[in-house]
Amino acid sequence: MMKRVFMLLMCLMISCAVFAASVPVVYLDRSSTNLEASSYIKKQAKSNKLPHKFTFTSDLNSLSGDEKVVVILNSGLSSGTDPRISSYLNSSQNKQAIILVNLYSIGKNILMTSVSSADTASGVDEISAATQWKKRDSAIQAMHEQWTEELFRLIQVKQEL
């Protein structure tokens, strides 16, 4: 009996690993903000035991266009979308798959907002959050957990479409 339970568990673990959904995360620059955000996404996914396999790239052209989910990190600007990202969004035929994560430095503000594709100029789901990484107090930690939780929720919704 124990042997069967063990075998069943092993089969489940293997199937989860084999069928883990690949989620590309695009960052255009190797800035400290993008590297911190990428690392945090991986850390939170692992601690939440998510079945997603995150792949990281710095090239929008590496996307095939038929992904179920694409996460794009928009950072380095105090406001607005990087022109390279705007150009990609304007030409994309697969907007329902895209989640744009805006990482902004807005003074000492600790913020997080999420806007659905129906309410954005770009036509994609957007999450905006502060880029505070150095100071790790509880409010900043809570903000980072909040935006990654929303990101993981949106990923799940898009993969079920």
Side-chain angles (χ1 to χ4, degrees):
M1 177 70 169
M2 287 300 285
K3 195 174 198 177
R4 286 185 184 179
V5 170
F6 178 74
M7 290 302 290
L8 178 63
L9 287 174
M10 288 303 291
C11 287
L12 284 172
M13 287 173 42
I14 290 169
S15 66
C16 284
V18 169
F19 297 109
S22 180
V23 178
V25 178
V26 181
Y27 58 90
L28 298 182
D29 302 307
R30 290 185 55 83
S31 68
S32 61
T33 297
N34 285 336
L35 295 175
E36 289 278 1
S38 297
S39 176
Y40 197 78
I41 290 169
K42 285 189 276 189
K43 177 183 153 206
Q44 288 299 100
K46 185 177 180 180
S47 74
N48 287 305
K49 296 178 175 71
L50 297 179
H52 313 305
K53 178 184 177 220
F54 290 95
T55 57
F56 296 86
T57 181
S58 60
D59 185 9
L60 286 165
N61 293 324
S62 68
L63 300 172
S64 65
D66 62 353
E67 294 87 0
K68 284 190 129 292
V69 182
V70 174
V71 176
I72 301 175
L73 301 180
N74 176 42
S75 66
L77 304 172
S78 59
S79 64
T81 304
D82 184 301
R84 297 169 292 177
I85 295 172
S86 291
S87 176
Y88 176 79
L89 295 177
N90 289 336
S91 66
S92 176
Q93 301 299 310
N94 193 17
K95 290 186 184 200
Q96 72 277 3
I98 299 172
I99 303 169
L100 182 63
V101 178
N102 300 302
L103 300 166
Y104 295 129
S105 176
I106 305 175
K108 295 182 179 185
N109 293 337
I110 301 170
L111 61 95
M112 188 301 238
T113 59
S114 179
V115 182
S116 74
S117 60
D119 297 324
T120 65
S122 63
V124 301
D125 291 313
E126 294 188 26
I127 299 170
S128 297
T131 60
Q132 305 221 5
W133 296 103
K134 293 181 181 168
K135 189 177 177 188
R136 302 271 179 155
D137 66 23
S138 61
I140 292 172
Q141 186 66 27
M143 180 266 306
H144 286 303
E145 288 174 5
Q146 188 180 14
W147 75 260
T148 52
E149 283 175 16
E150 178 62 7
L151 175 63
F152 299 149
R153 185 191 71 76
L154 286 171
I155 289 170
Q156 188 64 40
V157 167
K158 290 176 181 303
Q159 287 182 333
E160 292 174 359
L161 292 177

